Amino acid sequence: MSETVYAKDVTLYDLRTKFHLQLVEDSQFFPEWQNNLPPINDGEKQLLDKLKAGYFNLIEYPPLLENTVQMAVLGPLLYLADFFLAPFHIKSEISVSLSDVDEGMTVEGKIDILVLKEHLWVVVIESKRASFSIEAGLAQLLSYMLANPHPNHLNFGLITTGGSFVFVKLVAHDVPQYALSRIFEQRNPGNDLYAVLSVLKQFRQLFSEEEMA
């Protein structure tokens, strides 16, 4: 008998046992978040400093909910990374379903934000309210990434609470594997949003150079 669960309730154990997902801890598996990153110019740094200040102003007036995180943090970052410009476009609340007939499980949910290039998924984004941890969205994001209809292309994800960011890479071959970046925190000294934007620019550049299938 098939079991249907919502993506928000799925666990890493479910993904490991039902869909054979494996964590890779070798840093060479996910070089895209750390090597040869595009630079951030002075104008972008000024805007990111304002974005950081705005975030800390917002969290003084809780609760900071998912839609506010999307408006106040994600939207500006995606704008600065040029994901609103052709050949890319953005959709929200996209329904997806992931099924494994052999193990009898179907995972259903809605992607918060999906960046596309034509039909190709570029970045899957899961946002959480500021009071949540990054861990709260990891299994949910991975289930969405596993549902990508173009598994042979690069497959990246991002989880954010507005104050914390972690990037995810998934390679969905016979045995799907994933790896994580370090966690970027707005509470860290300096401004980690510089690095977040640089990684997003890297993803955009990779997909700009990739030939469409």
Side-chain angles (χ1 to χ4, degrees), residues 99-142:
S99 297
D100 187 287
V101 176
D102 293 337
E103 298 294 341
M105 173 175 278
T106 299
V107 181
E108 296 182 349
K110 289 186 177 181
I111 298 172
D112 283 347
I113 298 175
L114 178 62
V115 181
L116 300 109
K117 178 185 176 185
E118 299 296 338
H119 62 279
L120 185 64
W121 292 18
V122 176
V123 186
V124 182
I125 302 174
E126 177 64 25
S127 61
K128 293 295 181 186
R129 64 177 64 191
S131 59
F132 283 22
S133 75
I134 288 294
E135 297 295 339
L138 180 56
Q140 186 175 354
L141 177 74
L142 286 166

Side-chain angles (χ1 to χ4, degrees), residues 3-198:
E3 174 190 10
T4 298
V5 298
Y6 293 108
K8 64 182 179 62
D9 298 321
V10 77
T11 66
L12 291 174
Y13 176 80
D14 292 330
L15 298 180
R16 178 169 59 83
T17 58
K18 305 293 186 180
F19 299 95
H20 314 295
L21 181 64
Q22 296 181 355
L23 171 65
V24 177
E25 298 186 276
D26 183 351
S27 62
Q28 299 304 311
F29 181 83
F30 189 8
E32 292 88 353
W33 73 269
Q34 50 194 327
N35 295 340
N36 302 314
L37 295 176
I40 304 298
N41 63 44
D42 289 341
E44 290 167 335
K45 289 180 180 179
Q46 291 177 7
L47 291 171
L48 292 171
D49 289 343
K50 284 187 176 181
L51 193 58
K52 179 176 181 176
Y55 168 78
F56 284 112
N57 179 59
L58 282 171
I59 62 174
E60 291 187 7
Y61 305 93
L64 182 54
L65 302 179
E66 291 178 38
N67 59 348
T68 309
V69 170
Q70 293 174 17
M71 176 181 67
V73 181
L74 273 175
L77 283 170
L78 294 173
Y79 171 81
L80 289 172
D82 287 340
F83 280 125
F84 287 100
L85 300 179
F88 300 92
H89 62 284
I90 290 174
K91 292 187 176 182
S92 62
E93 295 296 314
I94 303 300
S95 296
V96 292
S97 179
L98 171 67
S99 297
D100 187 287
V101 176
D102 293 337
E103 298 294 341
M105 173 175 278
T106 299
V107 181
E108 296 182 349
K110 289 186 177 181
I111 298 172
D112 283 347
I113 298 175
L114 178 62
V115 181
L116 300 109
K117 178 185 176 185
E118 299 296 338
H119 62 279
L120 185 64
W121 292 18
V122 176
V123 186
V124 182
I125 302 174
E126 177 64 25
S127 61
K128 293 295 181 186
R129 64 177 64 191
S131 59
F132 283 22
S133 75
I134 288 294
E135 297 295 339
L138 180 56
Q140 186 175 354
L141 177 74
L142 286 166
S143 67
Y144 295 151
M145 294 175 72
L146 284 167
N148 188 339
H150 311 287
N152 292 327
H153 288 271
L154 293 171
N155 199 351
F156 297 115
L158 168 65
I159 310 170
T160 182
T161 63
S164 302
F165 303 78
V166 64
F167 293 98
V168 182
K169 179 180 180 179
L170 175 71
V171 175
H173 295 315
D174 294 336
V175 177
Q177 298 178 313
Y178 75 98
L180 308 176
S181 72
R182 75 171 178 88
I183 297 177
F184 300 93
E185 296 278 3
Q186 296 240 47
R187 287 288 184 189
N188 286 339
N191 191 342
D192 271 11
L193 292 179
Y194 297 177
V196 172
L197 177 59
S198 192

